[in-house]
Each structure stands twice: as structure tokens, then as C-alpha cells.
Amino acid sequence: MADLRIGIDVGGTNTDAVVLDADGRVIAKAKRPTTPEVTEGLRAALDAVLAELGSGREHVTRVMLGTTHATNAILERRGLGRVAVVRLGAPATTAVPPLSDWPDDLRKAVSAGEAIVPGGHYVDGREISPLDLDAVRRFLDGVRADAVAVTSVFSPADDGHERRVEELVRAEYGLPVSVSSEIGSLGLLERENATVLNAALYGVAAHVTDALVTALAERGLGERGRREQGQGAQGARGQGAQGARGQGARPYLAQNDGTLMTLEHAARLPVSTIGSGPANSLRGAAYLSGVADAVVVDVGGTSTDLGVLAGGFPRESAAAVEIGGVLTNFRMPDILAIALGGGTVVRPHGLGPDSVGYRIVREALVFGGTTATMTDAAVAAGRIPPGAEDWRDRLQGGRQGDMSEEKADILESAVTRADRMVIDAVDRMTLGRTDRPLVAVGGGAFLLPDHIPGVSRVIRPEHAEVANAVGAAIALASGRVDTILPAGDSRAAAIESAKEEARARAVAAGADPAGVEIVDLLEVPLSYLSEPAVRVHVKAAGPLAR
């Protein structure tokens, strides 16, 4: 039972946890309601799988968490830090000030002040103007901030100005710094937005990592907890046993491309955890089904997320991603979300979009409640999850007595509406290709019909209800580089340098240096420049270091 991995995914309705053995088999799983303070739901799911393991918990070596903390903080404008926003791009970029497209409430919650100072580069590497560090000092002297976000024009191609400002801030002000070249790709405003959000999330990241480390330590899994347990056993087992156990289980956080990063990496780039839930589901679906190219439909309690697997990884969105009313351009899975889930409320002339969420176990008809939900509609149509065969009887003989003909018609109509929603969404994601299968995952996957136009077949893998947690448990660590390189004779050497940088970033995220490979390389010629150049995107990934 050596080398066990725990994957945890915090969703809007449920928090799922799984344990995988060294051969990648699921040996324990649990689903618990997500609580208003999401950490409590995390602990409940963790406790449930540890109870199944019993003494086997001593063999847990890694714990991977996919969480909605960062997303919720932005959506709810809660727990965000105050950020001093520095753009290096005067005089070329003064027409559109920083954060000018942000919602007023979010801007007030985050911004400690904004400034555009001389600096930055043109796309061909020439300076727009020399960097003015004194202007940066004058701005920072006049604001009170928890962190600083620095964005320079075309910094993915040349980050020299950003790094000089970063050094100044750390040395003279002692504040954490978020630099845009580590976060977004080309596109100034969207990259700047992502950089500011990243800086605003430093406090949230600290809360998440501390909560995870504390939860593991309390259960004897973390370094602190095992050290304390080892002290009590030292006399009987000797120092060697204590040292072996003192290693603890290494924690990781899932990021938005379906890969993992260490807590240290997450503390610097917390915005990368946004979108980790859908990415985990896609990776888990690929793993459980054994299919590398497919449409994935993840049905939860509140919504259904659709994505596409390409080579076993999520297909990435080509469009700017909006989070909490703010456009960003960091890489995210191409996800289509529709308001359909197991807890979606069914009405005589409509379906949702509201859901009973984690209250479904009290309010749905099949659980003795009085609210008609999509779960009730699916059960009435004969779509019943494995192990819940008694739900039909409970639906017929609940508090309401035998179901009326009117209520039966309402539930039947809801299934028809839901199927149309799914068929339309699948059609939008397949882009005309009908040769790929559909992998149905999530706790509400039983809502889906067995035959869906636009896909070759519907696959329902074992453990599909916890695919998101499986995706977290099996994820790799990754690093990426998005830059502009010359298209001449030096191009090949420059691309090799970009590959090495991507590999280094993967190792920094927790990958084993010996196992890191280049998994994605994209070149786009930029023909509008005076000197030929190409935009290069490189992604490296590898298994976690032991």
C-alpha cells in the first residue's frame, strides 16, 4: 500500500476526495457537501477517505487540492488585498489607464492606486522609453498597499524592466510583487488585469495553504503532525522510524491547465488556481475512461461544464477569459457552462437556473423534500444512479403520496428541456466533429441520456462521480513560456532557450527534472513587423518529484 495519493476537489455543491494507490487504482472515495466556509467541507471529505484507509494513512505521500477559494474571493469581493498598480509604458499607453474596464466595486476593493511610468518595450525589443525608477518610488511613497502589480509593455518578450522594478520593491518596500511576464501572454490590458488579480489574491493563497497544511498536520499527515507522532513513538521505533515518517505528505494545489504546483509556487501565482475544477474533471475523465480525445460533460449539483480533451489535456480557450467582470488572458480550459445540475429547480413552465445546491439531500422529492429538482425528473424518467434503485419508490411514495399526473408531466417536460440544453451545448463544443465519444462524469452524470446526437457514443466510466478529485490526484506539474522570438538564423537556438525556460518553470512547480517533457509547442509567424519574428508558446510537464 506504499505511495498513496489523495486528490481533493472543492466544487460549488460537493467536495470530493479520492485515494489512489501506486498503480493508480481508486481505493477510497467520498463526496461531502461543500460548506459556506469551504475548508470545513474539505476536512469532512478528507476525514471520510482517511477513515476508509485506517492504518494505511501512514502511506499517504501526496495530497492534491483543487479549490474554488480564489474564484469565490473575486466573485464575492471578499478577502482581497490592496494592490499598487504600476504600468511601465509611458508615454505610449496613457490613453487607456489601468483597470479602466473593471467593475467599480471590484476596483474599489482592490486598487490602492494606479500609475503609468516611463518604461516598456516595443514588440521588436526596442525600449519605448528608459525605465524611470524614481517615478516608481514617488508613486509607491504615496500609497498604502499589501502588494504591488507590475506590468510592462511586451514583457513576455523582454521582462528586464519588470525585474528591475521587482528588485526595487522587494529591497526598499518589502512588499510582495506580481510581475506580468510570469502570468499572462501577449495583450497588455488582459495581462495587466491578471497580474493585479494575482497580487490581490496573495492573502487568500496564504489562507488556503495554511488551512491545508494545518488539516494535514491535525490528521498526522503533514510534516508537523508526523513529527509530533514520531516523538511519541521514538522510544519504541528508534530515530530511523521517526525520520522516515517525519517526511509527511507533500501538499500541492491544482492549477487551471489541469496540472499541479507546489504550495510555494501557488503562493507566488495564486491566480493560476482559478479554473482548476473544470480542468481536474477533464483530466480525471481522460484517466478513468482511457480516452484521450473526447467531449467531457461534467454534471454537478448546480451546473454542467462541457470541455474537450485533446491528447488527454483540456483544449484551451482562444478567447480572453472573464473572471468577476474582468477580462484576463492567462491560459484556461475551453469550458462551456450551462445552468443544469442535479439540484436545478423544476417548475411547471421552466427549468432553473436556480439550484438547491448542497441542500438537495433535504429538499429534493426523492429525499422526502418538497422541491422538484432535475434529480427527481431524471429518476421519474428511469435515469437512476447505481446503488440508488430505491429512489423511484421514494419519489412515488414521499410526503406527497402517489405522484399526481400533473407533477409527472412537469418532470417529464423538464427532462425534455434538459436534453435539448445538453444537445445544443455538445453541438457548440464539437464544432461539427461527430467522431469523438462523450465521457459523462460528475455526481449528476445520470441525468444525461445514453444517446446524444453529435458524438459517437456515451462513456460512463467507473468512479465518474469523483472524476474531478481523480484528476487532481493524477495531475502532472507544468511550466509554460509565451514569448516573441526572431525568425532568422537565431530562431532555433531561441526556441531551445524557451524550451529550457519552460522545463525550469515545470521543475519550480514541483516536477521531477528527469521526467519533464515538452508537451506543447506552437509557433505563430508575426508578419507585420519590420524584422521577421514568431510568437512561440511552449509548455513542459512531468511527474511530481518524489
Side-chain angles (χ1 to χ4, degrees):
M1 193 182 281
D3 194 21
L4 301 182
R5 293 168 284 165
I6 296 180
I8 305 172
D9 188 271
V10 180
T13 301
N14 290 302
T15 296
D16 299 339
V18 298
V19 181
L20 270 61
D21 64 14
D23 296 322
R25 295 172 299 196
V26 176
I27 61 173
K29 59 184 177 181
K31 186 181 288 287
R32 294 293 183 270
T34 296
T35 52
E37 169 48 56
V38 295
T39 304
E40 294 305 314
L42 182 157
R43 293 182 179 187
L46 180 59
D47 285 339
V49 292
L50 290 178
E52 284 192 54
L53 286 181
S55 61
R57 69 169 61 194
E58 297 182 5
H59 300 286
V60 175
T61 59
R62 299 184 182 95
V63 177
M64 297 81 159
L65 172 65
T67 176
T68 59
H69 278 84
T71 306
N72 292 345
I74 295 171
L75 295 178
E76 299 171 12
R77 287 38 170 166
R78 173 177 50 83
L80 300 173
R82 302 280 290 173
V83 180
V85 183
V86 179
R87 181 192 294 174
L88 310 178
T93 66
T94 55
V96 183
L99 315 190
S100 57
D101 60 343
W102 281 41
D104 289 340
D105 60 340
L106 183 58
R107 184 172 182 173
K108 290 177 182 177
V110 168
S111 178
E114 306 114 31
I116 306 176
V117 303
H121 294 81
Y122 292 105
V123 68
D124 60 4
R126 292 178 296 120
E127 284 189 348
I128 294 174
S129 58
L131 177 61
D132 189 344
L133 291 178
D134 287 336
V136 175
R137 289 187 180 95
R138 288 193 296 271
F139 167 64
L140 295 178
D141 287 342
V143 299
R144 298 183 63 181
D146 301 308
V148 179
V150 183
T151 306
S152 178
V153 180
F154 283 112
S155 64
D158 190 327
D159 65 352
H161 285 186
E162 284 188 353
R163 296 303 179 184
R164 288 169 61 189
V165 174
E166 179 185 22
E167 292 173 5
L168 180 151
V169 174
R170 293 190 188 281
E172 300 183 18
Y173 296 88
L175 293 173
V177 185
S178 175
V179 292
S180 75
S181 56
E182 291 185 346
I183 297 169
S185 57
L186 300 177
L188 175 65
L189 298 181
E190 292 85 357
R191 174 162 45 88
E192 181 176 63
N193 289 344
T195 305
V196 176
L197 288 177
N198 188 69
L201 289 168
Y202 283 144
V204 174
H207 172 72
V208 173
T209 56
D210 185 65
L212 179 58
V213 170
T214 300
L216 297 180
E218 290 173 346
R219 289 151 182 80
L221 295 177
E223 183 177 352
R224 285 181 296 180
R226 292 198 173 181
R227 186 165 57 241
E228 291 166 2
Q229 288 187 5
Q231 289 169 356
Q234 184 175 347
R237 300 187 179 183
Q239 184 65 35
Q242 181 191 351
R245 297 190 65 201
Q247 294 293 324
R250 292 197 65 185
Y252 297 86
L253 288 185
Q255 50 185 341
N256 51 35
D257 63 353
T259 60
L260 297 170
M261 55 185 171
T262 62
L263 297 192
E264 294 79 11
H265 196 72
R268 192 174 77 252
L269 299 174
V271 77
S272 295
T273 65
I274 292 173
S276 62
N280 286 343
S281 295
L282 288 162
R283 288 282 291 150
Y287 182 79
L288 293 172
S289 66
V291 177
D293 297 279
V295 178
V296 176
V297 182
D298 179 11
V299 187
T302 302
S303 64
T304 293
D305 293 333
L306 293 92
V308 175
L309 283 168
F313 283 88
R315 183 177 73 188
E316 293 183 340
S317 174
V321 177
E322 183 176 302
I323 301 169
V326 176
L327 284 178
T328 66
N329 68 347
F330 47 77
R331 297 284 179 164
M332 292 278 281
D334 184 10
I335 297 295
L336 173 62
I338 58 176
L340 175 68
T344 299
V345 177
V346 171
R347 297 184 176 87
H349 303 292
L351 183 62
D354 53 323
S355 168
V356 297
Y358 60 83
R359 303 189 309 276
I360 189 171
V361 294
R362 300 193 307 270
E363 298 190 18
L365 300 180
V366 294
F367 296 111
T370 59
T371 304
T373 67
M374 266 309 303
T375 293
D376 304 309
V379 171
R383 302 176 188 176
I384 303 172
E389 288 73 17
D390 62 330
W391 284 13
R392 182 191 290 272
D393 295 335
R394 289 157 64 178
L395 181 65
Q396 294 288 346
R399 294 181 189 173
Q400 309 285 329
D402 290 340
M403 185 185 300
S404 66
E405 183 176 343
E406 179 185 6
K407 181 158 287 188
D409 289 343
I410 292 172
L411 295 180
E412 181 180 355
S413 176
V415 171
T416 302
R417 288 193 183 99
D419 286 352
R420 283 201 297 261
M421 291 173 65
V422 171
I423 292 170
D424 177 65
V426 168
D427 184 59
R428 292 168 63 184
M429 295 302 290
T430 56
L431 304 177
R433 284 189 56 180
T434 60
D435 58 332
R436 286 178 291 205
L438 182 149
V439 183
V441 297
F446 64 92
L447 270 62
L448 301 176
D450 289 328
H451 302 284
I452 298 177
V455 296
S456 60
R457 58 195 171 108
V458 176
I459 302 173
R460 302 179 188 270
E462 187 180 8
H463 310 302
E465 73 279 10
V466 289
N468 46 8
V470 171
I474 57 96
L476 306 174
S478 74
R480 62 174 72 240
V481 171
D482 196 331
T483 187
I484 295 175
L485 301 175
D489 295 338
S490 60
R491 166 182 159 276
I495 289 178
E496 286 303 315
S497 178
K499 288 181 179 179
E500 288 304 314
E501 176 64 21
R503 291 189 184 99
R505 293 187 180 186
V507 172
D512 182 351
V516 174
E517 298 179 353
I518 301 300
V519 297
D520 188 22
L521 175 61
L522 176 66
E523 294 183 59
V524 180
L526 302 178
S527 56
Y528 52 83
L529 303 179
S530 57
E531 296 292 335
V534 292
R535 178 180 177 180
V536 175
H537 171 74
V538 186
K539 180 178 178 180
L544 294 173
R546 292 187 178 276

